[in-house]
Structure formats: structure tokens, C-alpha cells
Amino acid sequence: MKKGICAVVMAMTLGFTAFFAVLTGGPFVEMLSGPVPVTGSFEEVSGSYVAYEVSWPLVSYGAEYYSGDPDRISKWGYVMYDEERQEFFNIVVPEQDHTKFHHLLSEANRSEEDRAKLTPVTIEGTLVPVEDSGVEELLRLLAGNDSKSTREMDVLASSQEGWYSIESKSIQGFGRFPLWLCAVTAGINLLIFLVALTQFLKREPKESEEEILGKAFAGSKLDQLLMIQRVWLNSWTAITKTKNRKMAALAVIGGLAVPTAIGYFVGASMTTVMTIHLPLGILFGDLYLWVQWMTERVNSTEKTITAFRRRIGKLMPSGEEREAMAADVLEAAREQAFRERSKDRMTWVAVGRRYWAVFSSNKTVQIVDSARVAKVETSKESYQIPSGRVTVTFTNYAAKIYFKDSTKKKGCDEMLAFDAENTLGFLVTQIKKYTGDSIEIVSL
């Protein structure tokens, strides 16, 4: 199943990368390369990302409105005159940038000497041909009462064969922010694809506990004991990885669907949906996926084994004592060990002639030296935790351990807690097997 989840993640992230690369790859490269100056005719640079100095607007109009409201202009259009080329063309600029173009428009009828003193405004965007219907509308605007064109200009405009338009900050119909957003989304998904590919190709060790216990081991007894823990930890991490990656895949699908649906609901254009809503949703899913992978790294088998070794070192500073404990627990494991799997953790239990060991997937280790134990009390404890409108009940099965040399005035010295009653039963059975009546066992 783990391989299947990795394959799904790989297919989705590679698909996202390819989609945005095809959709916006060309315009993004043009943006990084920068605009080219218009040095020849407009026809020579048609379809290119250009930089042009605007100096002679003749008439303005509302090119686009917020939610279709005629009183709220989001983009302004200007019909321009290029005196050098004696050609007319169109530009479209965002509402927040229109002031400087309005200023040029107000000075349109001044003398050539006065206009030469004005500072041109540079506009950058893709130069595209204007369709015939658009040309008719631009000619109508030029001939209107608000136009500052002359009769000679109107005649020249009517005879012009090809018209072109530049939308400011638009590269092949895409804005700078959407292009960067799509590029970042493509890059992150490519990175996730490569990570998923390494996980897909990674092979987990298949040795069982019995095989490890049965073969000659060159390392220390403690190393061999930790090798056994690696077996069941691999099994547990595979289970949690599968669950987490299913949730991550659902998060990516949700991130894909929800923002896209919102875009359609608010009436956004198809370009806006594909270049803003869609990548934002995918990035949300990617973030969830990345958090899951980082969690996996923190809770990996190797990290947990390292935590086990560190904890045992604190419990038993003496190397000889650690080896004696490991040898005793290994001998017990050859006869019988017990695994408990619950919703949130997996636990490995072995009871030796002297030492009792409990390893848990939450990186905890408990070692009890039975030579110090005077009494064991077993109990079933239930507690409730409110969760929203419901109350969740949890039950623990515990072995409370009291030492002979205890200095505590209240409570037990050590407690081994389990999620299943049969785990506690295994512990008590094994204790009785090795210690007989030397340790008092009381059921509460």
C-alpha cells in the first residue's frame, strides 16, 4: 500500500509540474529574460514581451470593470499615437497606474516643443494584434467628442491596416504574480515528486525477529536487542506512513477542488482560476504533504532506535549492566515476546528472568529490575476527555510496581501501562513464570 500511495503522489505532483510548465513556462522564461525594446515596426515584435515609451495618448476608456460594475473601472485603455512611426495602437493599464497616463492625455494638444518636455511612461507587456471588431471600437473612440485627435489623425487611423495592443504587466495574458505563483508551485511539486520517487524505490529490510534471534550476531547484545525493535518499528512506521499519505493525498485533492470551485463561484476568469486559485490550492495540499513527510522523518525507525539507545543509557549508565539486561531480555524473547498494536502506538514487551522490558513506538523505554521489586498491582483505569460535542472514553491496563528499597511515601515507583488487557495478562503470566511467589501480585 505504501508503494501505491507513493505512486499516486508521484503521478499527481508530476502532473501538476507538467501542467504549469506547459501553461506558463514560456511566459515565465520571457519574464526572466526581460522585455525587448521596440526599435523597428510593431509587426516585427508582434507576440513578443516588449518595453515601449508612451508619450502621446489621445483618448481613454474603461477597458475592464470590477464585477461588471460600470462605475468601478479596474483597467483603463488608451488609444495612442506613435509620431515617429505615424501609427496608432492601444494600451491597457491597471487602474492604480492610470494617473500618469491621464496626465499625458491632458497635455496631448500642447505644442510639439512642450510635449517634448514631458516625461514618457514606459509600459511593459506582450504586443498582440487587435481583432477587427476591436479596431472598429478604437476608431469610434478616436472619432468621439472626448478624443484629442485631429481630423488628419482620424483619416490616418482609418487607413491603418494593422493595429496592436499592449497590456501593462501582462505577458501572453499572464500577470507577474500568477507567473511566479505557478513557477513556485511547479518547482515544489517537482521536488515532492523526487522525494516520493526515492521513497518508492527504497527497500525496507524483511528480516523477522526470529531470524535475528536465530543467527550469530557480531555486535553487542544491546545492538541485537535494538535490531529486533527495528523489525516491528518498520512495520509500525509503514502503517502510519500509509495512513498519513492517504490523508496527504486527500489534502492535495481537496486543495485542488475547493479553491477552484470558489473561483468559479465568485465569477473569476478561467485564467485567474488556473493561475491563482488552482496553484494556491495545490500549494496548501503540498504544505500538508510536506508536514507529513517531516513528521515521518522525526518519527522514523532510526530516530526511534536512537531515542531507545539514549534512554537505556540514562537508565543504565554501566555498559556491563546494559549488556546483562539485553542478554536476559533476548533470552526471554527467544521463548516469547508480545506485541501490542493500538490506534496510536505499537508496544513490544518481553519479560526475562531478571529484567522486564517495554519498548513503545512513541520513543519510550521502560526497564524494570525484578530484583528490586516487592509488589505489583494490576488495575484497569478509565478516563474521559471531551472532544467537541462528544466525550471520548479511554481505558488503560496498568501494572503498578513498588520497589523494596523505595523511598516514596505515596504512589508506585514505576508503572507499565498498556492499551489492551491481554498485554497486561502476558506481563503478569511471565512474571509469575520466572519469579513464582517471590513478588506479590495484587489485582485492584
Side-chain angles (χ1 to χ4, degrees), residues 73-146:
I73 297 176
S74 61
K75 291 181 181 179
W76 284 89
Y78 293 86
V79 181
M80 313 295 302
Y81 177 59
D82 187 314
E83 188 175 18
E84 179 183 350
R85 296 175 179 82
Q86 293 192 340
E87 287 190 42
F88 298 84
F89 64 101
N90 181 65
I91 67 169
V92 178
V93 300
E95 194 277 334
Q96 60 267 26
D97 294 341
H98 84 283
T99 303
K100 44 195 173 185
F101 296 97
H102 267 41
H103 175 68
L104 290 176
L105 178 61
S106 67
E107 304 292 332
N109 287 335
R110 297 182 64 177
S111 67
E112 183 176 344
E113 182 180 350
D114 289 338
R115 279 192 287 102
K117 298 177 182 178
L118 297 175
T119 302
V121 179
T122 300
I123 183 174
E124 296 179 357
T126 300
L127 183 72
V128 296
V130 180
E131 296 181 357
D132 292 342
S133 59
V135 172
E136 292 176 3
E137 178 63 21
L138 295 178
L139 290 173
R140 185 188 67 77
L141 289 167
L142 274 178
N145 295 330
D146 296 331

Side-chain angles (χ1 to χ4, degrees), residues 3 11 23 27 59 118 156 171 181 183 197 219 245 272-273 278 299 337 343 357 364-365 379 391 394 414 424:
K3 298 288 186 182
L23 179 66
V59 65
L118 297 175
L156 181 61
I171 306 172
L181 182 61
L197 179 62
R245 289 174 185 179
T272 301
V273 170
L278 181 60
N299 297 321
K343 180 180 179 181
T364 62
V365 180
S379 64
T391 300
F394 294 90
E414 185 81 49
L424 179 61

